[in-house]
Amino acid sequence: MRSIVLTKGVPDFSEGAVSFDEDGHLERGKTPTVMNPNDYFALQAALQTKVRHGGHVTGMSMGPPSYASVLEEAMGSVYADDSILLSDRELAASDTWATAITLSAGVEKYQEEIADVDLVFAGFKTADGETGHTGPQTTWCLDWPIVTHVLALDIDPDEGMLRAKRLVEGDVDEIETVEAPLPCVVIADPEFEPTYRKAAHRLEHKRLRAETQERVVDHEEQLRTWNHQDLNLDPDYIGLDGSPTIVSSVDPIPKAPSEREATMVDPGDDDGMGQVVEELQPFATGD
C-alpha cells in the first residue's frame, strides 16, 4: 500500500510564537513555520494504513526551501519514509487552485517515475487560509474519488477498496459508512483517531518508530525537490499568474482583550516569592 500525504507549513499561532506588527498584521518573517496542525490527522491515517497493511508513506509539500523542516517534522512524528518538496520561484504566491494543479502534477510524476499510488491523504483545512479547498481541488485535477471528514478507515487490498466512517456534512451527530475504489483521496477529520487493537499492529508501530528515529537524522538524504520544469508545468498556470483568487483587502487581526491581571514579581524578592508560593500551594496539593 503506497500513500502520499499532502502537508503545508503555516505560521506558528501558539501563544508567544506568533508576531504581529503594530497594525495587527502577521509578520511571517518573525513567526516560526510549523506543520499545519490538521495535517497531523492525515499523517496518522497514513501511518495506521501502513501499520495494518505495510507499504510506503511519502510526505509531499509545496512551498519555499524552508518547508523541508515541515517535511522533516512529518517524518519524525508519524514515520513517513521519504519526502518530496515542490519548490521554486514560479510556484510562489499560489492560491489553492494553483497549488492543487502543482500538487496533482507532483502525484502524477510520482506515479510515472517512482510507483503507483493507492492513497493520497490531506488535512481538513490549513490554519492560515482555512479554505479547505486544496485537497478537493487536487482530487478534481487527479480525477480520483474522494472521501472527506474521515473518522476511521480500513483497506481491503484484495478488492482494492477503501471503507471509511465519515461525518455527514461535518455533522458530529451523524456518521455514515462509505466505500471507494483505490486510488482515492482521503481528507482526515480532526476527530480521526488511529486504532491499533492487535498486538501485531502495536509491535509494528513500535518497530516503525525506532526505524524512523534513525532515518530522520539524515532527512536531507530522504528528500527530493522538484521544480516546475521537473513537473512540466507552464508558468502561466501556476504561482501568482495561475491563481484566479483576488485578495481585495486584508483586515488586521484584532487583539484579544486581556482577561487576567498579572503581578510582576522579582525572583530576588523573598516576600514576593513567598506570596507566589502561598497562592500556588492549594493547586499543588489538589485543594
Side-chain angles (χ1 to χ4, degrees):
M1 196 62 53
R2 188 168 284 262
S3 305
I4 291 178
V5 184
L6 307 180
T7 185
K8 182 191 177 189
V10 297
D12 183 356
F13 288 111
S14 60
E15 186 176 359
V18 65
S19 179
F20 300 102
D21 64 17
E22 58 183 12
D23 296 323
H25 295 128
L26 175 68
E27 293 186 299
R28 280 188 176 267
K30 295 182 179 179
T31 302
T33 297
V34 297
M35 183 175 68
N36 178 48
N38 277 332
D39 296 345
Y40 179 78
F41 303 103
L43 285 155
Q44 288 288 349
L47 174 59
Q48 177 191 280
T49 302
K50 179 179 177 179
V51 168
R52 292 184 180 182
H53 303 285
H56 189 100
V57 177
T58 297
M60 179 180 287
S61 185
M62 191 200 85
S66 61
Y67 276 26
S69 63
V70 174
L71 290 166
E72 181 177 355
E73 182 182 352
M75 176 178 287
S77 60
V78 288
Y79 322 150
D81 293 278
D82 54 15
S83 307
I84 296 177
L85 178 62
L86 314 178
S87 179
D88 73 20
R89 290 184 179 276
E90 298 290 350
L91 302 174
S94 295
D95 67 0
T96 61
W97 177 243
T99 300
I101 289 175
T102 305
L103 290 172
S104 62
V107 174
E108 289 171 347
K109 178 178 174 65
Y110 188 102
Q111 295 206 111
E112 291 170 359
E113 299 184 3
I114 298 176
D116 287 338
V117 177
D118 300 293
L119 291 157
V120 171
F121 293 90
F124 170 44
K125 59 184 179 181
T126 58
D128 50 0
E130 289 199 330
T131 66
H133 290 172
T134 303
Q137 288 175 332
T138 303
T139 307
W140 189 89
C141 294
L142 291 168
D143 195 21
W144 288 7
I146 181 173
V147 184
T148 61
H149 289 292
V150 171
L151 300 175
L153 64 86
D154 205 357
I155 306 296
D156 186 332
D158 294 334
E159 294 188 14
M161 190 70 70
L162 165 84
R163 295 189 175 89
K165 291 183 178 179
R166 65 176 297 273
L167 297 176
V168 178
E169 297 182 359
D171 187 339
V172 296
D173 295 326
E174 189 174 359
I175 297 172
E176 65 179 358
T177 300
V178 299
E179 293 184 341
L182 303 180
C184 71
V185 176
V186 173
I187 308 296
D189 190 87
E191 296 294 323
F192 179 90
E193 291 188 11
T195 55
Y196 302 102
R197 295 191 179 91
K198 295 182 179 179
H201 292 164
R202 292 193 290 274
L203 289 171
E204 176 65 4
H205 188 279
K206 183 178 180 180
R207 186 191 70 78
L208 290 174
R209 179 173 55 196
E211 180 186 275
T212 307
Q213 286 174 347
E214 295 181 5
R215 185 169 59 246
V216 74
V217 174
D218 298 315
H219 177 254
E220 290 185 0
E221 295 182 6
Q222 321 297 329
L223 174 67
R224 292 181 176 91
T225 300
W226 292 340
N227 60 29
H228 78 281
Q229 294 173 321
D230 296 325
L231 299 172
N232 195 29
L233 288 172
D234 186 331
D236 289 341
Y237 295 93
I238 56 173
L240 181 61
D241 290 344
S243 298
T245 303
I246 298 175
V247 179
S248 60
S249 65
V250 177
D251 293 331
I253 299 174
K255 296 181 179 178
S258 175
E259 297 178 350
R260 295 181 295 178
E261 293 183 1
T263 301
M264 303 300 292
V265 177
D266 188 328
D269 179 359
D270 292 340
D271 291 339
M273 292 303 294
Q275 292 177 8
V276 171
V277 172
E278 188 175 338
E279 288 283 338
L280 295 178
Q281 195 169 27
F283 299 98
T285 57
D287 295 339

